[in-house]
Amino acid sequence: MNFYRLINIIAVALVVCLLIPSISPAEDNALTLTLDKALEMALANNTLIKEAIEKQKAAMEEEKSAKSDYFPKASASYSYTNLKEKPYAVFGGTKLPTSNKDNFYWDITLVQPIFTGFALSIRHKMAGLGVDLREMEKDRAVLDVTKEVKVAYFNILLAEKFFMVSNEEV
């Protein structure tokens, strides 16, 4: 996790460095990157935020799945068996048929959970808490990226000021 965070910080710093030209304020301001633009770009393109959003969507779907466990489940199956010869049993030298040459099997099942020891309600509540947790993780990711962008932006501004001071000293 720290490796990806370091890569994100470096990427944000590079974007800020490349997009903030070292021009005077009297020149064209269309090329300067403001803090708001930098934040907007970082929040729109950051992979940690996109990942957190997708995890939040997955948690919402898990909650829907847990809620659907309250409803009845229906299933149906069918099978067919064709035998080469009609089965028979021999009793006292007489052949008695035991079944048909063609066998069909139909099965229809409807299951409605009545009481599962509160397992369904607990699972639904846990899924709801998972949604809340993922929402907080997404908010934390947005705040982390915002902080990183602001720190990188102000470090670039500070470096520009140091550069200007050093040029004046020379």
Side-chain angles (χ1 to χ4, degrees):
M1 183 83 173
N2 289 335
F3 176 71
Y4 293 114
R5 188 176 199 151
L6 179 64
I7 287 178
N8 280 335
I9 291 171
I10 292 171
V12 168
L14 285 175
V15 167
V16 171
C17 287
L18 293 175
L19 295 177
I20 295 181
S22 58
I23 58 175
S24 65
E27 293 181 9
D28 188 17
N29 283 335
L31 297 177
T32 57
L33 181 66
T34 64
L35 180 60
D36 292 334
K37 287 181 187 176
L39 283 172
E40 181 181 328
M41 287 173 45
L43 293 177
N45 299 319
N46 190 281
T47 56
L48 291 177
I49 294 174
K50 289 180 181 179
E51 178 185 357
I53 289 171
E54 293 304 317
K55 284 183 179 179
Q56 183 183 15
K57 288 178 184 177
M60 286 183 206
E61 293 301 320
E62 188 176 326
E63 183 182 26
K64 286 181 186 176
S65 173
K67 188 175 183 180
S68 70
D69 288 341
Y70 289 116
F71 301 118
K73 308 286 187 278
S75 65
S77 64
Y78 167 78
S79 69
Y80 168 73
T81 306
N82 182 7
L83 302 173
K84 185 175 181 179
E85 296 177 8
K86 193 172 188 179
Y88 61 89
V90 178
F91 288 109
T94 324
K95 289 184 178 180
L96 297 172
T98 56
S99 70
N100 294 328
K101 185 177 172 184
D102 297 320
N103 294 315
F104 302 93
Y105 177 75
W106 297 79
D107 183 33
I108 299 173
T109 307
L110 183 66
V111 177
Q112 170 64 52
I114 296 174
F115 181 71
T116 59
F118 301 109
L120 295 179
S121 60
I122 296 295
R123 182 172 166 214
H124 184 250
K125 287 178 185 176
M126 287 177 62
L129 292 174
V131 170
D132 294 341
L133 175 68
R134 296 301 182 189
E135 174 73 27
M136 287 185 220
E137 286 177 357
K138 183 190 77 146
D139 293 342
R140 191 187 78 207
V142 168
L143 290 174
D144 286 345
V145 169
T146 302
K147 182 189 89 169
E148 290 172 8
V149 168
K150 287 182 179 181
V151 167
Y153 186 84
F154 289 121
N155 282 337
I156 296 295
L157 290 179
L158 185 61
E160 282 183 349
K161 293 297 179 185
F162 285 151
F163 182 72
M164 289 170 49
V165 168
S166 67
N167 280 343
E168 286 177 7
E169 287 295 318
V170 172

